[in-house]
Amino acid sequence: MKRFLSGITPSGDGTLHIGNYLGAVKQFIKLSVNHDCYLMVADLHALTTIQNKEQLQKNTETLILNELTLLVGELGLSLPNITFFRQSDVPLHAELQTILNNVTPLGLIKRAHAYKDKLAKETALDDINMGLFNYPVLMAADILIYKSDLVPVGRDQKQHIEIARDIAERFNKIYGSGKRKAASGKTVFTLPEPYIPEDVAVVLGTDGKRKMSKSLGNIISIFEDEEIIKKQVMGTFTDPTRIHADDPGHIEGNMVFTYLDFFGVKGKVEELKGFYRRGQVSDMEVKNYLFESLLKYFTKARESYKELNSNPALVQKILQEGAEKARSFAEKTLTEVREAIGLTNKYSFFSYN
Ligand code: TYM
């Protein structure tokens, strides 16, 4: 069975929106049928921006609850083939990052988007922390430690997967031959491939222009109160050329229909598209249908949310079991890595085989 690791950072307020769901969580659920899945809450990554103890704890718990709920809502409590854990519960990620730092060229990391975007905004160098700069190396460690064959992510993360691949290649090249190769005789790291389905690579926000993102205020939430979701749906970009409900309307670029393609009933959506093109249905009616479809689609998840929210011991158990399994895999990889690079406590006094 092929294996993958993917992660979500508890940034913003830790809640998930339909962009995260379509671009990430839904893909995890689909792939879990025939993949060994390691899913982590990337709390170490969140330290680049969140430096307030209460906020980090709250965000992490919120994300755990949001993500687990979506997974349990569709797959049931046994979560087949899924190992769900907190990144900081497996400190070996950080050890591997330290090791990988030494095979990572500075230029490679200087070309990374997150850092370059900060520079483009004319942020002073002293206001960029090393955690942010070095973020792609920690992400490479996350991915490589589980020998991931693929990494399901949205397009914004593609460059990070390519960097992880470059780092793995360099490590394998440096430590892949002669006496320094891994005990197994094989190279240590699997080269990961990004897994980015085209239709959800970038889910646009309700403004119809930019990637859906909490920080841009263009999201549709999953677990918020119904009134908030309704407000978000009612504010969604449709067709600016259409003034009256009986004007013929456009479907392309109309975000209500973009979302309906994912969450509505196919036959009904096609019928509504026809009505919309002919000016036979109002924006309000299609938005109401989107709102109902979203509530229906996430009914089970919203119920699981209440169930998990009232059972912290169960959540803790899932995380504990996940951390143990992840640690045991990561420990095996680190043993190979330490062996390959010469960090072993053998005391054989100079007979290095
Ligand atoms: P993060 O937390 O920003 O996003 C989590 C996942 O959701 C995807 N995503 C989207 N996909 C499509 N359309 C959107 N509007 C949208 N918004 C978010 C992201 O692409 C991502 O897949 N650095 C990562 C977390 C991470 C990670 C890893 C991922 C840490 N280590 C190792 C994979 C492997 C991040 O901050 O994602």
Side-chain angles (χ1 to χ4, degrees), residues 64-338:
I64 287 170
L65 206 53
N66 273 228
E67 191 176 348
L68 254 189
T69 296
L70 288 168
L71 297 170
V72 168
E74 292 203 33
L75 299 170
L77 261 177
S78 64
L79 294 179
N81 297 334
I82 290 181
T83 305
F84 185 80
F85 65 103
R86 271 170 90 128
Q87 184 186 27
S88 61
D89 278 340
V90 189
L92 295 156
H93 290 223
E95 181 182 345
L96 184 57
Q97 180 192 20
T98 298
I99 292 171
L100 295 180
N101 278 339
N102 301 287
V103 298
T104 305
L106 187 62
L108 182 68
I109 303 304
K110 276 193 169 169
R111 290 191 289 277
H113 291 314
Y115 171 65
K116 267 175 58 181
D117 289 355
K118 281 267 180 189
L119 285 186
K121 285 184 197 143
E122 290 178 13
T123 310
L125 275 182
D126 283 350
D127 291 330
I128 301 176
N129 61 51
M130 278 302 293
L132 180 95
F133 180 70
N134 226 5
Y135 186 101
V137 188
L138 181 56
M139 210 166 136
D142 301 334
I143 294 167
L144 301 180
I145 211 165
Y146 300 100
K147 306 203 173 194
S148 303
D149 298 291
L150 63 158
V151 189
V153 281
R155 188 176 293 142
D156 59 343
Q157 298 296 322
K158 185 167 182 251
Q159 191 195 30
H160 291 144
I161 319 298
E162 288 162 357
I163 292 176
R165 211 182 144 89
D166 275 8
I167 294 175
E169 264 180 326
R170 285 182 69 90
F171 183 97
N172 285 346
K173 199 164 162 219
I174 296 171
Y175 295 111
S177 62
K179 286 184 183 166
R180 288 183 299 183
K181 75 181 165 205
S184 62
K186 292 191 213 133
T187 49
V188 174
F189 292 122
T190 305
L191 302 186
E193 295 279 351
Y195 175 89
I196 308 175
E198 198 46 46
D199 60 335
V200 290
V202 187
V203 178
L204 293 184
T206 52
D207 55 2
K209 293 189 185 71
R210 296 165 301 173
K211 188 187 84 161
M212 184 176 285
S213 163
K214 186 108 199 171
S215 61
L216 298 172
N218 61 0
I219 63 163
I220 293 186
S221 311
I222 300 174
F223 297 109
E224 287 288 1
D225 292 340
E226 289 185 20
E227 304 85 80
I228 294 184
I229 297 178
K230 182 141 199 175
K231 219 170 142 200
Q232 294 167 337
V233 170
M234 291 302 156
T236 299
F237 177 87
T238 53
D239 173 2
T241 65
R242 190 173 189 246
I243 314 292
H244 307 289
D246 52 5
D247 292 341
H250 293 92
I251 306 299
E252 299 70 31
N254 184 323
M255 293 315 296
V256 173
F257 284 103
T258 305
Y259 302 146
L260 275 178
D261 280 338
F262 293 112
F263 299 108
V265 174
K266 200 169 184 316
K268 169 90 181 170
V269 174
E270 290 313 312
E271 187 184 57
L272 278 179
K273 283 182 182 172
F275 289 156
Y276 197 85
R277 285 197 179 98
R278 296 192 294 274
Q280 293 166 333
V281 65
S282 67
D283 271 27
M284 187 65 104
E285 283 167 276
V286 285
K287 284 179 174 174
N288 272 329
Y289 179 60
L290 174 60
F291 174 64
E292 285 163 24
S293 304
L294 285 166
L295 288 191
K296 195 157 168 228
Y297 189 95
F298 290 113
T299 306
K300 264 181 149 178
R302 289 170 71 92
E303 279 164 14
S304 308
Y305 187 87
K306 286 186 206 137
E307 206 180 309
L308 288 181
N309 198 13
S310 60
N311 197 345
L314 176 64
V315 174
Q316 185 126 22
K317 183 169 169 277
I318 294 174
L319 286 168
Q320 238 164 31
E321 286 174 5
E324 273 163 35
K325 200 171 154 220
R327 247 183 259 132
S328 133
F329 195 111
E331 186 56 65
K332 279 195 204 114
T333 307
L334 255 298
T335 303
E336 281 182 54
V337 169
R338 295 185 200 113

